[in-house]
Amino acid sequence: METSNIALAVRQIRDVLLWVVLFFTVLYLFVLNVNSNGGGFIEVNKPSEKLLCQSVRKLQERDNSLSNTNISLLLEVQELRQKVAMYERLNRLLEFNSWMSQHGSKTRQNILILSSEYCGSSLLGELFNQNPQIFYLYEPLKALDYYKDNRPSDVYDSMVTNQIDGIFQCKFDDLSYYTNYMSFQYSSLKSRLASRALSTPPLCPEANARSFYSIRMCTPLKPKTTSAICKLHQHTVIKTIQFSDVHKLSYLMDKDGTDYLLKVVHLVRDPRAIVFSHFQRNFSSSNFSISLKEYSTKLCSQMLQNIKYAITAPPWLQGKYTLLRYEDLGTNPHQIAELVYKFAGVPIVSQVRMWLDKLADGGATQRPTQFGSSTSGSVEEFNARNLTQSVHNWRTQLQYKTVRAIETECYEVMNLLGYKIVDDEEELTTLNLSLVD
């Protein structure tokens, strides 16, 4: 009897000890779980769980009916779970190493269109601007015009590199001078309206519906806003005629730590057509022959230097650079657009093809070009007739002796690029004879 009493007492003590151990184990796990949640990245779960508990208690106090409570609880829990899931998705998007934060670096394709004046680079840029996936900027280096003439060349080159680098990384925090230029300088209106991403309503009012237009009608751009707009697009394209030296691409491409992909499309044109366009807009009868020689020499010397450098293809430029003649683009826009997009590594979309179809069918496609603060605006029209004329019109308006003078200064670069020398005036004016190899 005494032995059985002792055994019973031992079992009771053991059961008590087991309950005590179980209690402290549960308490330890609860404290550990609270601490773990407190140190987690997603903070939005904690207030949501608290809100869920409060809602359950209120529902229980308000209605003791089991069936009504269950229905209300289910509805409330479902709504709160949806909110928690939404907050969790938002937090994942904002995490430092998330796909969204990397979207502006390794996954982006960035394209730099290089050209010189009167080469038709606006047409090439528009091929990319028509793509809603592309953040396109027209002549952003104009924001640095003051520094080009008032700073040493190495300082200016550094500023150019910093600006292009910032744009391609969608980091405009250090480019407030650029966003201010695009917001308040009257001379920036052409660049602002040429970028679909920065001028589509509500950022700017519809341009073609107005006889008067001013940059002040557009919403001012802030660095963070511009960065966000850039990141909403999958790719970035810059078009500039102010980056004149191909070898300076090394500042962007031949360095450690470059966190984005970059392709370069270099657009060139027949020097005879460029010289014709230049003097058509800047004609001076005094010393025309001297000015013609000086301009042709400078133009073709720069072109030759760039072409020879690109031909050597330094390792950092291999596979990332392509040369395009405007004459090929102007006569075969559909085919060239497909090739350029393929080189850039960007899928060509239906909007681009539709724009080219409209252009080829003779329908004028308009792009804002120049609006004054107190004058009516005008638009630059692209259509098939204008493209054909732009390729050939110099041949009917330049005298043969003028053409020969240009060819004398530009023979070497013309030969490299496949532009034929004309033998006589008849060959010059016979437009069905191509002067492009």
Side-chain angles (χ1 to χ4, degrees), residues 20 36 38 41 57 88 103 149 154 167-168 182 231 246 259 280 286 317 397 401 413:
V20 169
S36 175
F41 179 79
R57 285 199 299 270
E88 288 176 345
H103 189 60
D149 299 324
D154 58 333
I167 291 172
F168 281 147
M182 292 287 280
K231 289 179 181 179
V246 171
D259 198 29
Q280 190 180 39
S286 60
L317 197 58
Q397 298 191 49
K401 65 177 183 179
V413 72

Side-chain angles (χ1 to χ4, degrees), residues 21-192:
V21 170
L22 180 61
F23 171 78
F24 280 104
T25 301
V26 172
L27 179 63
Y28 171 78
L29 291 175
F30 174 77
V31 171
L32 183 65
N33 183 57
V34 169
N35 290 338
S36 175
N37 287 340
F41 179 79
I42 300 178
E43 294 287 338
V44 293
N45 286 345
K46 294 169 64 180
S48 298
E49 292 169 357
K50 182 179 179 181
L51 180 62
L52 179 60
C53 293
Q54 290 176 347
S55 300
V56 171
R57 285 199 299 270
K58 288 180 180 178
L59 286 169
Q60 289 174 335
E61 292 170 359
R62 187 172 64 235
D63 191 351
N64 293 325
S65 172
L66 183 60
S67 59
N68 290 339
T69 300
N70 286 341
I71 294 174
S72 300
L73 271 174
L74 287 174
L75 293 175
E76 193 75 14
V77 167
Q78 182 179 6
E79 181 181 354
L80 291 172
R81 281 177 176 172
Q82 290 175 349
K83 290 181 179 180
V84 170
M86 179 186 68
Y87 288 133
E88 288 176 345
R89 288 195 299 270
L90 179 61
N91 248 333
R92 282 195 293 270
L93 285 175
L94 296 176
E95 286 177 12
F96 181 75
N97 290 320
S98 71
W99 178 87
M100 179 64 79
S101 69
Q102 296 298 315
H103 189 60
S105 57
K106 295 297 184 184
T107 62
R108 292 186 78 87
Q109 289 288 354
N110 297 285
I111 299 96
L112 180 61
I113 299 174
L114 301 183
S115 193
S116 58
E117 60 178 0
Y118 312 123
C119 280
S121 56
S122 295
L123 172 64
L124 180 58
E126 193 64 21
L127 287 177
F128 289 103
N129 190 42
Q130 290 291 324
N131 190 330
Q133 299 173 0
I134 288 176
F135 181 70
Y136 171 72
L137 294 184
Y138 175 95
E139 301 296 339
L141 299 185
K142 283 186 176 293
L144 296 174
D145 276 354
Y146 171 81
Y147 304 100
K148 187 175 184 178
D149 299 324
N150 294 278
R151 295 291 186 275
S153 59
D154 58 333
V155 174
Y156 173 74
D157 290 341
S158 178
M159 295 180 72
V160 167
T161 302
N162 181 70
Q163 188 194 57
I164 295 177
D165 191 64
I167 291 172
F168 281 147
Q169 296 190 68
C170 292
K171 295 179 179 178
F172 287 82
D173 290 342
D174 294 331
L175 304 180
S176 58
Y177 67 88
Y178 174 70
T179 55
N180 287 337
Y181 167 78
M182 292 287 280
S183 301
F184 306 113
Q185 291 291 327
Y186 289 113
S187 59
S188 73
L189 187 58
K190 181 177 180 178
S191 296
R192 179 73 181 266

Side-chain angles (χ1 to χ4, degrees), residues 371-389:
F371 295 84
S373 58
S374 59
T375 59
S376 62
S378 62
V379 293
E380 180 177 342
E381 293 185 351
F382 297 118
N383 58 49
R385 181 180 178 184
N386 285 349
L387 292 184
T388 302
Q389 287 180 346

Side-chain angles (χ1 to χ4, degrees), residues 1 6 10 21 33 80 121 133 243 246 276 279 290 322 326 362 371 381 390 409:
M1 183 70 178
I6 293 173
V10 169
V21 170
N33 183 57
L80 291 172
S121 56
Q133 299 173 0
F243 198 107
V246 171
F276 165 71
F279 283 100
I290 297 176
T322 190
Y326 173 75
F371 295 84
E381 293 185 351
S390 67
E409 304 301 325

